[in-house]
Amino acid sequence: MKIGTVDIVGVLDGIARLPLASTVVHARGARWECHHQPVGADGRIRMDVGSFLVRLGGRTVLVDAGTGPGFEHDGFATGGLLDNLRRTGVAPEEITDVVFTHLHADHVGWSTVRGEAVFPKATFRMHAADRAYFTTGETADPAVRETFEPIAGRIETFDEETELVPGLIARPAPGHTPGSTVFVVSDAGERALLLGDVLHTVGELTDPEWEGMFDVDRVAATAIRQRLAAELEASGDVFAPAHFPELAFGRLISEDGLRRFAWA
């Protein structure tokens, strides 16, 4: 995806096929009828996993960091991020910044492997609320905490809307996690929004009664989704959540008074 002069490239780590019933739920029990993301005969929906590579302002930025090697979770077949990054012509040593939409394990795993930084020259940036939630206290995830311990001195946090590098704004969007963040890439009057797990499916944008099952605060997450849906419908900006098939971008359009989704 090109935004002005900026290229945004999806870098696939792998594919997850998750039960629809554990991914989204409808407030009135409606059936899933979304041809953009069909459910297989096994009742599972495709959710791709990976990162977005953004080069701008002299920086080479990776948005999220996949699962890491050896990730074992029902339905996940991942581990290809570094090979696919190299296929784009970028080596791990060239990454200057790794920024996180949030800190669930399938977004941070390639940060370190066996106690060593995978991106040895990068600064790691995350929302302060997520760092606290996932690495301290009763809500800490031991795997996430272990991932970040070797690079603790290279982590920077933010707690409000911040331009991390020219043309890349971190916009807090709490709900899915306390520090869930949307990244806005802009250049030459154009914008793209990288939504992370603010939503997982097209249905959550076109029908507000579909809700995600992985949200820490479902009420807040639903409010954020609907606010973003209204913004995306009005602006026509392209966007990509973290788990659309092939990490693809889309647009939200209005047709006969209804929101419709179209792949970009």
Side-chain angles (χ1 to χ4, degrees):
M1 176 59 61
K2 184 172 284 291
I3 300 299
T5 62
V6 176
D7 285 315
I8 307 174
V9 179
V11 185
L12 194 66
D13 193 31
I15 295 173
R17 297 189 184 276
L18 304 181
L20 179 71
S22 65
T23 304
V24 290
V25 63
H26 195 273
R28 293 183 292 107
R31 293 184 60 188
W32 183 256
E33 296 179 354
C34 180
H35 67 275
H36 296 97
Q37 291 175 274
V39 176
D42 58 359
R44 292 176 179 250
I45 188 169
R46 174 175 169 175
M47 295 283 186
D48 286 12
V49 180
S51 305
F52 291 94
L53 180 68
V54 187
R55 298 195 221 188
L56 75 176
R59 315 290 291 184
T60 303
V61 181
L62 201 63
V63 180
D64 287 335
T67 66
F71 186 77
E72 295 184 3
H73 195 287
D74 178 44
F76 281 75
T78 56
L81 183 73
L82 295 191
D83 288 341
N84 288 326
L85 181 63
R86 291 186 180 99
R87 289 189 181 100
T88 72
V90 176
E93 295 79 11
E94 296 176 72
I95 300 296
T96 60
D97 304 84
V98 180
V99 301
F100 298 104
T101 60
H102 65 293
L103 301 187
H104 276 146
D106 59 322
H107 291 254
V108 306
W110 283 105
S111 301
T112 62
V113 173
R114 293 185 293 276
E116 298 291 334
V118 173
F119 309 103
K121 298 181 180 178
T123 299
F124 296 81
R125 307 174 193 272
M126 62 190 68
H127 196 291
D130 256 29
R131 187 181 190 186
Y133 185 87
F134 284 98
T135 64
T136 64
E138 295 180 355
T139 58
D141 182 329
V144 173
R145 184 164 52 199
E146 181 180 350
T147 294
F148 288 125
E149 281 177 352
I151 53 173
R154 293 164 51 195
I155 291 173
E156 295 184 1
T157 62
F158 52 86
D159 59 10
E160 60 185 4
E161 185 166 314
T162 305
E163 187 169 39
L164 298 179
V165 300
L168 179 67
I169 291 175
R171 181 199 295 181
H176 179 65
T177 65
S180 182
T181 299
V182 168
F183 290 101
V184 183
V185 180
S186 59
D187 186 63
E190 299 179 5
R191 298 195 319 166
L193 280 70
L194 303 176
L195 302 182
D197 284 11
V198 168
L199 58 103
H200 294 78
T201 65
V202 169
E204 292 165 83
L205 285 175
T206 56
D207 180 350
E209 292 187 285
W210 283 105
E211 298 179 349
M213 296 289 284
F214 305 116
D215 298 330
V216 172
D217 184 337
R218 191 176 293 179
V219 172
T222 298
I224 285 286
R225 267 195 302 275
Q226 293 314 306
R227 197 179 312 154
L228 272 170
E231 176 183 342
L232 293 167
E233 180 184 10
S235 69
D237 291 332
V238 294
F239 62 90
H243 297 296
F244 271 7
E246 300 180 3
L247 306 181
F249 285 78
R251 283 189 171 89
L252 202 58
I253 59 178
S254 182
E255 190 175 274
D256 298 327
L258 298 174
R259 288 176 181 155
R260 304 289 187 191
F261 176 82
W263 297 113

